[in-house]
Short mmCIF file of all heavy atoms in Angstrom, two decimals:
data_model
loop_
_atom_site.label_atom_id
_atom_site.label_comp_id
_atom_site.label_asym_id
_atom_site.label_seq_id
_atom_site.Cartn_x
_atom_site.Cartn_y
_atom_site.Cartn_z
N PRO A 1 59.98 53.59 27.16
CA PRO A 1 60.71 54.85 27.35
C PRO A 1 62.10 54.84 26.72
O PRO A 1 63.10 54.48 27.34
CB PRO A 1 60.80 54.97 28.87
CG PRO A 1 60.76 53.56 29.36
CD PRO A 1 59.87 52.81 28.40
N VAL A 2 62.19 55.20 25.45
CA VAL A 2 63.48 55.23 24.74
C VAL A 2 64.11 56.62 24.82
O VAL A 2 63.43 57.62 25.08
CB VAL A 2 63.29 54.83 23.26
CG1 VAL A 2 62.90 53.38 23.14
CG2 VAL A 2 62.25 55.73 22.58
N ASP A 3 65.41 56.66 24.59
CA ASP A 3 66.11 57.95 24.61
C ASP A 3 65.77 58.79 23.40
O ASP A 3 65.66 60.01 23.49
CB ASP A 3 67.63 57.71 24.67
CG ASP A 3 68.05 57.14 26.01
OD1 ASP A 3 68.27 57.94 26.94
OD2 ASP A 3 68.15 55.91 26.14
N LEU A 4 65.61 58.14 22.24
CA LEU A 4 65.25 58.86 21.01
C LEU A 4 64.26 58.02 20.23
O LEU A 4 64.49 56.83 20.00
CB LEU A 4 66.49 59.13 20.16
CG LEU A 4 66.24 59.80 18.80
CD1 LEU A 4 65.67 61.21 18.99
CD2 LEU A 4 67.53 59.85 17.97
N LEU A 5 63.18 58.65 19.81
CA LEU A 5 62.18 58.00 18.98
C LEU A 5 62.09 58.72 17.64
O LEU A 5 61.77 59.91 17.59
CB LEU A 5 60.80 58.03 19.66
CG LEU A 5 59.59 57.68 18.77
CD1 LEU A 5 59.67 56.23 18.29
CD2 LEU A 5 58.28 57.94 19.51
N PHE A 6 62.43 58.02 16.56
CA PHE A 6 62.07 58.51 15.23
C PHE A 6 60.70 57.93 14.91
O PHE A 6 60.52 56.70 14.91
CB PHE A 6 63.07 58.08 14.15
CG PHE A 6 62.52 58.30 12.76
CD1 PHE A 6 62.53 59.56 12.20
CD2 PHE A 6 61.96 57.25 12.04
CE1 PHE A 6 61.98 59.77 10.93
CE2 PHE A 6 61.42 57.44 10.77
CZ PHE A 6 61.44 58.72 10.22
N HIS A 7 59.75 58.80 14.66
CA HIS A 7 58.41 58.37 14.27
C HIS A 7 58.01 59.19 13.06
O HIS A 7 58.06 60.42 13.07
CB HIS A 7 57.40 58.58 15.39
CG HIS A 7 56.06 57.93 15.16
ND1 HIS A 7 55.25 58.29 14.10
CD2 HIS A 7 55.40 56.95 15.83
CE1 HIS A 7 54.14 57.57 14.15
NE2 HIS A 7 54.20 56.75 15.18
N GLU A 8 57.64 58.51 11.98
CA GLU A 8 57.31 59.22 10.76
C GLU A 8 56.28 60.32 10.98
O GLU A 8 55.34 60.17 11.76
CB GLU A 8 56.81 58.24 9.71
CG GLU A 8 55.43 57.64 9.98
CD GLU A 8 54.45 57.91 8.84
OE1 GLU A 8 53.97 59.07 8.75
OE2 GLU A 8 54.15 56.98 8.07
N THR A 9 56.49 61.45 10.31
CA THR A 9 55.54 62.58 10.33
C THR A 9 55.30 62.98 8.87
O THR A 9 55.72 64.04 8.43
CB THR A 9 56.12 63.77 11.13
OG1 THR A 9 57.42 64.12 10.58
CG2 THR A 9 56.30 63.43 12.59
N THR A 10 54.64 62.11 8.14
CA THR A 10 54.43 62.36 6.72
C THR A 10 53.55 63.57 6.48
O THR A 10 53.79 64.36 5.55
CB THR A 10 53.81 61.12 6.04
OG1 THR A 10 54.63 59.98 6.29
CG2 THR A 10 53.68 61.31 4.54
N TYR A 11 52.53 63.74 7.33
CA TYR A 11 51.56 64.81 7.12
C TYR A 11 51.39 65.67 8.37
O TYR A 11 51.79 65.28 9.48
CB TYR A 11 50.19 64.22 6.75
CG TYR A 11 50.16 63.46 5.45
CD1 TYR A 11 50.11 62.06 5.43
CD2 TYR A 11 50.18 64.13 4.22
CE1 TYR A 11 50.07 61.36 4.23
CE2 TYR A 11 50.13 63.43 3.03
CZ TYR A 11 50.08 62.05 3.03
OH TYR A 11 50.04 61.36 1.86
N LEU A 12 50.76 66.81 8.16
CA LEU A 12 50.26 67.63 9.25
C LEU A 12 48.78 67.31 9.44
O LEU A 12 48.19 66.58 8.64
CB LEU A 12 50.44 69.12 8.93
CG LEU A 12 51.90 69.58 8.72
CD1 LEU A 12 51.92 71.02 8.21
CD2 LEU A 12 52.70 69.44 10.00
N ASP A 13 48.19 67.86 10.46
CA ASP A 13 46.78 67.56 10.74
C ASP A 13 45.84 67.99 9.62
O ASP A 13 44.72 67.48 9.51
CB ASP A 13 46.35 68.23 12.05
CG ASP A 13 46.81 67.44 13.27
OD1 ASP A 13 47.19 66.27 13.11
OD2 ASP A 13 46.80 68.00 14.38
N ASP A 14 46.29 68.92 8.77
CA ASP A 14 45.43 69.36 7.67
C ASP A 14 45.22 68.25 6.64
O ASP A 14 44.33 68.32 5.79
CB ASP A 14 46.01 70.60 6.99
CG ASP A 14 47.35 70.33 6.30
OD1 ASP A 14 48.02 69.35 6.67
OD2 ASP A 14 47.71 71.11 5.38
N ARG A 15 46.05 67.20 6.71
CA ARG A 15 45.93 66.08 5.78
C ARG A 15 45.67 64.77 6.54
O ARG A 15 46.12 63.70 6.12
CB ARG A 15 47.21 65.94 4.96
CG ARG A 15 47.47 67.11 4.03
CD ARG A 15 46.65 67.00 2.77
NE ARG A 15 46.84 68.14 1.90
CZ ARG A 15 46.30 68.26 0.69
NH1 ARG A 15 45.55 67.28 0.22
NH2 ARG A 15 46.51 69.34 -0.05
N LEU A 16 44.94 64.87 7.62
CA LEU A 16 44.66 63.69 8.44
C LEU A 16 43.95 62.60 7.63
O LEU A 16 44.25 61.41 7.77
CB LEU A 16 43.81 64.07 9.66
CG LEU A 16 43.40 62.91 10.58
CD1 LEU A 16 44.62 62.19 11.13
CD2 LEU A 16 42.51 63.42 11.71
N ALA A 17 43.03 63.00 6.76
CA ALA A 17 42.30 62.02 5.94
C ALA A 17 43.26 61.26 5.03
O ALA A 17 43.14 60.04 4.85
CB ALA A 17 41.22 62.71 5.12
N ASP A 18 44.24 61.97 4.45
CA ASP A 18 45.24 61.31 3.61
C ASP A 18 46.09 60.35 4.43
O ASP A 18 46.44 59.25 3.97
CB ASP A 18 46.14 62.35 2.95
CG ASP A 18 45.42 63.15 1.87
OD1 ASP A 18 44.40 62.65 1.36
OD2 ASP A 18 45.88 64.26 1.55
N ALA A 19 46.45 60.75 5.64
CA ALA A 19 47.26 59.90 6.52
C ALA A 19 46.54 58.60 6.81
O ALA A 19 47.13 57.51 6.73
CB ALA A 19 47.59 60.64 7.81
N ILE A 20 45.27 58.69 7.12
CA ILE A 20 44.48 57.49 7.44
C ILE A 20 44.36 56.59 6.21
O ILE A 20 44.55 55.37 6.29
CB ILE A 20 43.08 57.89 7.95
CG1 ILE A 20 43.21 58.62 9.31
CG2 ILE A 20 42.19 56.66 8.08
CD1 ILE A 20 41.91 59.22 9.80
N GLU A 21 44.08 57.20 5.06
CA GLU A 21 43.89 56.42 3.83
C GLU A 21 45.17 55.72 3.39
O GLU A 21 45.14 54.56 2.93
CB GLU A 21 43.41 57.34 2.71
CG GLU A 21 43.21 56.64 1.38
CD GLU A 21 42.84 57.60 0.26
OE1 GLU A 21 42.61 58.80 0.55
OE2 GLU A 21 42.79 57.14 -0.90
N ARG A 22 46.33 56.37 3.57
CA ARG A 22 47.58 55.85 3.03
C ARG A 22 48.48 55.16 4.06
O ARG A 22 49.60 54.77 3.76
CB ARG A 22 48.34 57.00 2.36
CG ARG A 22 47.55 57.58 1.19
CD ARG A 22 48.15 58.85 0.66
NE ARG A 22 47.28 59.44 -0.37
CZ ARG A 22 47.50 60.61 -0.95
NH1 ARG A 22 48.57 61.33 -0.62
NH2 ARG A 22 46.67 61.05 -1.87
N GLY A 23 47.97 55.02 5.28
CA GLY A 23 48.75 54.33 6.29
C GLY A 23 49.94 55.12 6.79
O GLY A 23 51.04 54.58 6.95
N HIS A 24 49.71 56.41 7.05
CA HIS A 24 50.77 57.28 7.56
C HIS A 24 50.29 58.01 8.80
O HIS A 24 49.14 57.87 9.23
CB HIS A 24 51.22 58.28 6.49
CG HIS A 24 52.03 57.65 5.39
ND1 HIS A 24 53.27 57.10 5.61
CD2 HIS A 24 51.76 57.48 4.06
CE1 HIS A 24 53.74 56.63 4.48
NE2 HIS A 24 52.84 56.83 3.52
N SER A 25 51.18 58.81 9.38
CA SER A 25 50.86 59.54 10.61
C SER A 25 51.09 61.03 10.42
O SER A 25 51.87 61.46 9.55
CB SER A 25 51.75 59.04 11.77
OG SER A 25 51.52 57.69 12.05
N THR A 26 50.42 61.81 11.26
CA THR A 26 50.66 63.25 11.31
C THR A 26 51.67 63.56 12.39
O THR A 26 51.99 62.72 13.25
CB THR A 26 49.36 64.01 11.61
OG1 THR A 26 48.95 63.73 12.96
CG2 THR A 26 48.25 63.62 10.64
N ALA A 27 52.17 64.80 12.39
CA ALA A 27 53.12 65.22 13.42
C ALA A 27 52.49 65.15 14.80
O ALA A 27 53.14 64.77 15.78
CB ALA A 27 53.61 66.64 13.12
N THR A 28 51.21 65.48 14.88
CA THR A 28 50.51 65.40 16.17
C THR A 28 50.46 63.96 16.68
O THR A 28 50.68 63.69 17.86
CB THR A 28 49.07 65.96 16.03
OG1 THR A 28 49.14 67.34 15.71
CG2 THR A 28 48.29 65.77 17.32
N GLN A 29 50.17 63.04 15.79
CA GLN A 29 50.08 61.63 16.18
C GLN A 29 51.45 61.10 16.61
O GLN A 29 51.55 60.35 17.59
CB GLN A 29 49.50 60.81 15.03
CG GLN A 29 48.04 61.10 14.77
CD GLN A 29 47.51 60.44 13.51
OE1 GLN A 29 48.26 60.21 12.55
NE2 GLN A 29 46.23 60.12 13.50
N ALA A 30 52.49 61.47 15.89
CA ALA A 30 53.84 61.03 16.27
C ALA A 30 54.21 61.57 17.65
O ALA A 30 54.79 60.86 18.48
CB ALA A 30 54.86 61.51 15.24
N ALA A 31 53.88 62.82 17.90
CA ALA A 31 54.17 63.43 19.19
C ALA A 31 53.38 62.75 20.31
O ALA A 31 53.88 62.60 21.43
CB ALA A 31 53.85 64.91 19.15
N THR A 32 52.17 62.33 20.00
CA THR A 32 51.35 61.61 20.99
C THR A 32 52.00 60.29 21.37
O THR A 32 52.04 59.92 22.55
CB THR A 32 49.94 61.37 20.43
OG1 THR A 32 49.33 62.64 20.10
CG2 THR A 32 49.07 60.65 21.45
N VAL A 33 52.53 59.56 20.37
CA VAL A 33 53.22 58.31 20.65
C VAL A 33 54.46 58.57 21.50
O VAL A 33 54.73 57.84 22.47
CB VAL A 33 53.60 57.59 19.34
CG1 VAL A 33 54.47 56.36 19.63
CG2 VAL A 33 52.37 57.18 18.57
N ALA A 34 55.22 59.61 21.18
CA ALA A 34 56.43 59.94 21.94
C ALA A 34 56.07 60.25 23.39
O ALA A 34 56.74 59.78 24.32
CB ALA A 34 57.15 61.12 21.29
N ARG A 35 55.04 61.04 23.57
CA ARG A 35 54.60 61.41 24.93
C ARG A 35 54.15 60.17 25.71
O ARG A 35 54.58 59.96 26.85
CB ARG A 35 53.44 62.40 24.84
CG ARG A 35 52.89 62.86 26.19
CD ARG A 35 51.51 63.48 26.01
NE ARG A 35 50.52 62.49 25.55
CZ ARG A 35 49.34 62.81 25.01
NH1 ARG A 35 49.00 64.08 24.86
NH2 ARG A 35 48.50 61.85 24.64
N ASP A 36 53.33 59.34 25.09
CA ASP A 36 52.78 58.18 25.79
C ASP A 36 53.83 57.10 26.04
O ASP A 36 53.71 56.32 26.99
CB ASP A 36 51.61 57.60 24.99
CG ASP A 36 50.43 58.56 24.90
OD1 ASP A 36 50.42 59.56 25.66
OD2 ASP A 36 49.53 58.32 24.07
N ALA A 37 54.87 57.04 25.19
CA ALA A 37 55.92 56.04 25.36
C ALA A 37 56.92 56.46 26.44
O ALA A 37 57.68 55.63 26.93
CB ALA A 37 56.65 55.82 24.05
#
């Protein structure tokens, strides 16, 4: 539980396949990490 989390949001969900292939995250995935942390 940190006060501020910077988590990369290279792509949106429309490019989920690119995110997986290139080792990046979508905004949805970053938000999920923030919520769960």
Side-chain angles (χ1 to χ4, degrees):
V2 292
D3 291 275
L4 176 65
L5 167 64
F6 166 79
H7 191 297
E8 71 122 285
T9 54
T10 305
Y11 296 106
L12 299 172
D13 280 345
D14 65 337
R15 294 280 178 175
L16 178 59
D18 289 338
I20 294 172
E21 178 185 354
R22 298 170 186 175
H24 287 295
S25 298
T26 68
T28 295
Q29 291 172 331
T32 301
V33 173
R35 180 197 65 197
D36 295 347

